[in-house]
Amino acid sequence: MLRLLGRMRRRGRLLVLLAAAALLVGGIGWVLYGSSWLRVEKVTASGTQVLTSEQVLAAAAVPVGSPLVGVDTDEIAGRVRSRLPRVDSVDVVRSWPHGIGLKVTERKPVLLIKKGANFVEVDASGVRFDTVAKAPAGVPVLELSAAQSPSGRRFDEERLLHEAVGVAADLPEAVAGETVQVRVGSYDSVVLELTGRRTVVWGSGEQGEAKGRALTALLKAAPKAAHFDVSVPTAPAVSGS
C-alpha cells in the first residue's frame, strides 16, 4: 500500500509538472502569436542612396499587424530584390517588440550602355540593373565594336561586355572619375578615353590592378601627356603633350 501511495504521489507530481509545462508553452505561444503585445507596428528602411525608403517599404510589403515572430524575413527580402533590381542585397531584422528593419545595399554602376536617349547602368558583376535618362557623374560609357574584330566569333558582345566591366571595376577611384569612355574592339583591345581628350591603351582585362597602379603613376609623372599605354604594366609608356 505504501509503495502504491508513493507511486501515485510521483505520478501526481509528474502530471502537475506536465500541466505546468503545457501552460507555459501555451502562454508563450499566446504571447507570441495571439496577443497584441508582439505584433508588427513599425517598419523602417535604411541604406538607400538613389532609391527612397518609401520605395523600399512599398516593395517589401511587410504585413503590419501580424505577429512579429511569424514574419517571413526571407520572403520579404526576396520581394525587395525582385521588385527593385537596383537593390543588391537586403537584411531584414526583427526589432523587438514591434519593429521590422530593412537595411539595403544598392548596386553601383561601373559602366553605362547607351540605349537611345537613355543609359543602362551595369554593376561590377555585369548586371544591368536600371535605365536612367541622365548619365551618373563619373561613370564611363561603353563603346563596343566587336563586330569589326576578327575575334568577334570567339568573344561575343556579352563576353566583351564582361571584359569591359572588369576593366572599369579595376580602375582606381581617381582614374575612374576621369574616365569618359571605355572602347572595346576585341578581347585584348580596350582603350580608355579620359577627360581632356587623353587616351589610354589598356590592352586586355588581365592584370587590371597592376595597370591601374601604372596609370596612376603615369598621370602624376606626366600630367600634360595625351597618350598613355599600360597594356604591359611592367613597361608603361607615355607620349604627346
Side-chain angles (χ1 to χ4, degrees), residues 75-125:
E75 184 178 336
I76 292 171
R79 280 199 296 269
V80 173
R81 289 195 302 270
S82 64
R83 295 175 181 178
L84 298 174
R86 182 174 290 276
V87 173
D88 185 26
S89 64
V90 54
D91 291 328
V92 183
V93 296
R94 295 179 179 85
S95 180
W96 300 94
H98 302 297
I100 290 289
L102 310 172
K103 185 176 181 181
V104 303
T105 301
E106 294 184 8
R107 299 181 187 276
K108 295 182 179 180
V110 298
L111 203 62
L112 302 173
I113 300 174
K114 196 79 167 63
K115 185 177 182 182
N118 299 319
F119 299 89
V120 178
E121 295 181 303
V122 185
D123 73 359
S125 299

Side-chain angles (χ1 to χ4, degrees), residues 167-206:
V167 170
D170 283 336
L171 294 177
E173 185 175 351
V175 176
E178 296 186 47
T179 304
V180 178
Q181 189 178 73
V182 177
R183 296 200 302 267
V184 181
S186 65
Y187 174 79
D188 56 358
S189 178
V190 178
V191 177
L192 311 180
E193 181 181 331
L194 308 185
T195 56
R197 297 184 178 181
R198 296 170 296 169
T199 58
V200 180
V201 176
W202 191 269
S204 71
E206 298 175 5

Side-chain angles (χ1 to χ4, degrees), residues 19-35 37-38:
L23 288 173
L24 179 61
V25 171
I28 292 174
W30 179 80
V31 169
L32 292 176
Y33 291 95
S35 77
W37 298 347
L38 300 175

